[in-house]
Each structure stands twice: as C-alpha cells, then as structure tokens.
Amino acid sequence: MPGVEFYAAPTSLEEAVQRLAEGNGSLYAGGTDLLPQIRSGAKVFERLLLNIRRVPELTGVLRTNGTIRIGALSTVTDILKDSLLQESATILPEVADCFACGQVRNSATIGGNICNASPAGDMIIPLLLLDAEVELASWTDGALTKRCMPLSDFFVGPGKTRILPTEILTAVKFAAPAAGFVAGFRKFGARPAMDISVVSVGVSATLAENTLRNTRVAFGAVAPVPLRGRETEAALEGKSLQKTVVTEATHTAREEVSPISDVRASAWYRKELVGVLTERLLTHVNQSAD
Ligand SMILES: Cc1cc2nc3c(=O)[nH]c(=O)nc-3n(C[C@H](O)[C@H](O)[C@H](O)COP(=O)(O)OP(=O)(O)OC[C@H]3O[C@@H](n4cnc5c(N)ncnc54)[C@H](O)[C@@H]3O)c2cc1C
C-alpha cells in the first residue's frame, strides 16, 4: 500500500472517528472505487488507512417509526436482498439489480457509492427520489458527534462532497414512502451489464386518483453532480399522465439537463437519452397506476 504508514480496523464507531480525528486518514469500505483510483494514480493513500468494515454501527437496514435507516456499510447485494426494502422502498432493490455484477455488488457499499460522488453513481438516484439525508459522525470536542444533511446538498462536484476529512458517513435515512408511492429507474450504458451509466433517470410520485403528487425526478451523468430535475418535476406535479403531459415533461427534461461530451457519449446524445428514458419511465409510472 504505497504511502500508508499505519493501518487500523476499528471495531466501534467511537474508535473509528477518534482515529480519523488524528488527521491524514483514508477510509476503506468495499474498495471498489478506491483501489482502482489508487492504481490509476487518480488518488493517493493518506498516512493512515482506516478499514471501517468491522464497525457494527455502520451496518443494517432498520425501520424506526416512519424512518428507514440504511447503514453506510450495506452492500449493493444487501440492498438487493433486504426484505424491508423490498416491501417498503422497492426502488432501491430495483436499482441494485442494475448495478455491476454479483462480485462487485458483494463488496460495493452504499456509503462508498455516495462518498465517491460520481455524477453517475447509481444508488444516489433512488435516494434523491426518496428525499434522503446523510448522517455524518465525527469526534468533536472529546465526544462522538453526529449531524445530518439532505443528500441533495451533499454533492459539490465530481468526486467532491461536503463531508469533512474527520467525518464518516454512517447512514442514509428517509421517510418510508406513503401508500400510492410509485417509482422507476432507467440507466443506459454501452453494454447491458457491468457498465457505468452514460445517463440515468429516476422518477417517483405518489398517485392519488391518477394524479401525481410529490413528484420527484433525478438525473445521473448529465451534470457535475447527480441532481434533481426541478423543472421536470414542476411540469408533472398535480397532473395526470395524459399524452400531452408526458410529451411536455419529456421535452422539459431534455432541455433542463446540460451534459458534457466525453469519451462515452456526446452531450447531444445524452440529452436525447434523457428524453427517451424519461418518456419510458412516465409510461411505466402510468401503467403502475392502472
Ligand atoms: C467493475 C466495476 C463496476 C462498477 N459498476 C458500477 C455501477 O454499475 N454503478 C455504480 O454506481 N458504480 C459502479 N462501480 C463503482 C463502485 O463499485 C461503487 O461506487 C461502490 O458503491 C463504491 O463503494 P465501496 O464500498 O467499494 O467504496 P470504496 O472504494 O471503499 O470508497 C469509495 C470512496 O468513498 C469513501 N468512503 C467509503 N465509505 C465511506 C464512509 N462510510 N464514510 C466516508 N467516506 C467513505 C472512501 O474513502 C473512498 O474515497 C463499479 C466499480 C467497478 C470496479
């Protein structure tokens, strides 16, 4: 491990944040982003390598009253198989089922997907639809301290978030979806599996008498950060999904995003994909209402 002088594998959150508070620490969860980035030279290890995989407070999916809490160390496989999520927030296992392959899913954690802050991070899209917030822990003034922040405020740019170097993302939390909640996710990659999203789109709403309420739209890989599609949401809110509404919302979605051209797709192609995927999702949501 080049650059690593100390290695620690704490067995409690308190111990983990205390070690991190010493400064110059790299956190290691599943390693599926970190190790390729180290090997390619995109990142370097800090002096202390902190393996957080043995911290029990970072594991598990729990429902307390109306709130669902997913521990940061939950892997994509855990999310795919979790019975509480399959019942109450199906969109998360659905997205997990579009993620990489079994081998990567077994290591990749939800906390790592969020903290890696890729504009194409797949698990972030359903969490934006669910209005999730992140829970961050640190050792401050001699005590274990926690703060929460809306996920939509967490991202600053590609690979950059508002987490402090002394903080660990402990969990992601959201209110359990209400009755009538429908949601869908589509991603497009050059291959059907094992591909990073060229574009991803998520749509959710609560359907009452065929009308969309609390509409949420989220886009991946079309901006420096994964983001909510506020204009598309406004074009859908309070409407029923007649053809004219779908056409207008699809047009709004295409116009709302400003992607870049890169090796994987041109900006024009990404905009077209946003339109196509949004239209397919709205058709899916409409069928869920029948
Ligand atoms: C072959 C392959 C296929 C992939 N396919 C997909 C895909 O389909 N969709 C997709 O979105 N991604 C994909 N990825 C990317 C990667 O698997 C995910 O982003 C994964 O969720 C990262 O989680 P991890 O636990 O491996 O993170 P790590 O690599 O351990 O960490 C990533 C970053 O987050 C930080 N970190 C991790 N956990 C915490 C925490 N709790 N608190 C604070 N900081 C933390 C680390 O310090 C590091 O900077 C793929 C990667 C590979 C190698």
Side-chain angles (χ1 to χ4, degrees):
M1 299 284 187
V4 176
E5 289 176 33
F6 307 102
Y7 171 81
T11 51
S12 74
L13 181 59
E14 192 164 312
E15 188 189 348
V17 289
Q18 279 181 3
R19 291 305 301 259
L20 200 56
E22 292 165 15
N24 302 320
S26 297
L27 290 182
Y28 179 98
T32 62
D33 277 320
L34 188 60
L35 293 184
Q37 288 164 358
I38 297 279
R39 283 194 195 113
S40 72
K43 262 193 188 167
V44 289
F45 281 126
E46 300 285 346
R47 279 173 59 228
L48 169 67
L49 180 59
L50 201 61
N51 177 353
I52 54 172
R53 293 177 70 117
R54 295 184 198 161
V55 177
E57 293 94 328
L58 305 183
T59 61
V61 179
L62 273 177
R63 181 176 176 149
T64 312
N65 300 324
T67 302
I68 296 178
R69 180 188 192 275
I70 304 178
L73 275 186
S74 303
T75 65
V76 176
T77 301
D78 292 335
I79 287 164
L80 183 60
K81 295 192 171 161
D82 188 83
S83 54
L84 171 60
L85 296 177
Q86 282 169 357
E87 256 173 47
S88 313
T90 333
I91 185 67
L92 281 162
E94 270 173 32
V95 175
D97 201 23
C98 304
F99 195 106
C101 62
Q103 198 180 7
V104 176
R105 289 176 195 169
N106 289 343
S107 293
T109 64
I110 194 155
N113 198 243
I114 295 170
C115 292
N116 188 54
S118 161
D122 285 331
M123 299 311 299
I124 297 165
I125 299 299
L127 292 170
L128 286 174
L129 299 180
L130 290 161
D131 274 335
E133 57 177 23
V134 287
E135 183 187 88
L136 306 166
S138 62
W139 187 253
T140 308
D141 298 330
L144 174 64
T145 308
K146 287 189 181 169
R147 66 176 179 132
C148 289
M149 180 189 299
L151 181 64
S152 53
D153 291 345
F154 187 63
F155 303 106
V156 176
K160 293 198 170 25
T161 70
R162 295 192 198 283
I163 198 167
L164 302 174
T166 50
E167 285 179 317
I168 296 179
L169 188 147
T170 44
V172 58
K173 300 190 288 190
F174 51 89
F181 179 82
V182 287
F185 170 85
R186 297 285 183 276
K187 79 186 236 186
F188 181 85
R191 296 185 302 246
M194 287 294 285
D195 212 358
I196 304 294
S197 295
V198 169
V199 161
S200 60
V201 182
V203 173
S204 71
T206 306
L207 274 172
E209 292 165 7
N210 246 3
T211 302
L212 301 179
R213 300 276 177 215
N214 297 320
T215 315
R216 299 281 180 270
V217 177
F219 301 118
V222 295
V225 298
L227 77 170
R228 288 265 300 274
R230 310 267 178 187
E231 291 171 27
T232 313
E233 290 173 2
L236 290 164
E237 183 63 24
K239 312 254 175 76
S240 62
L241 283 173
Q242 290 142 357
K243 198 165 184 311
T244 48
V245 172
V246 172
T247 307
E248 196 200 318
T250 300
H251 175 77
T252 307
R254 203 184 282 122
E255 292 310 306
E256 185 174 9
V257 297
S258 18
I260 54 160
S261 296
D262 63 16
V263 285
R264 291 166 49 248
S266 68
W268 175 86
Y269 189 54
R270 283 196 161 99
K271 269 177 165 299
E272 288 301 300
L273 281 173
V274 163
V276 170
L277 298 184
T278 303
E279 189 173 6
R280 284 186 191 164
L281 274 171
L282 292 176
T283 308
H284 163 80
V285 167
N286 207 14
Q287 282 163 356
S288 310
D290 295 338

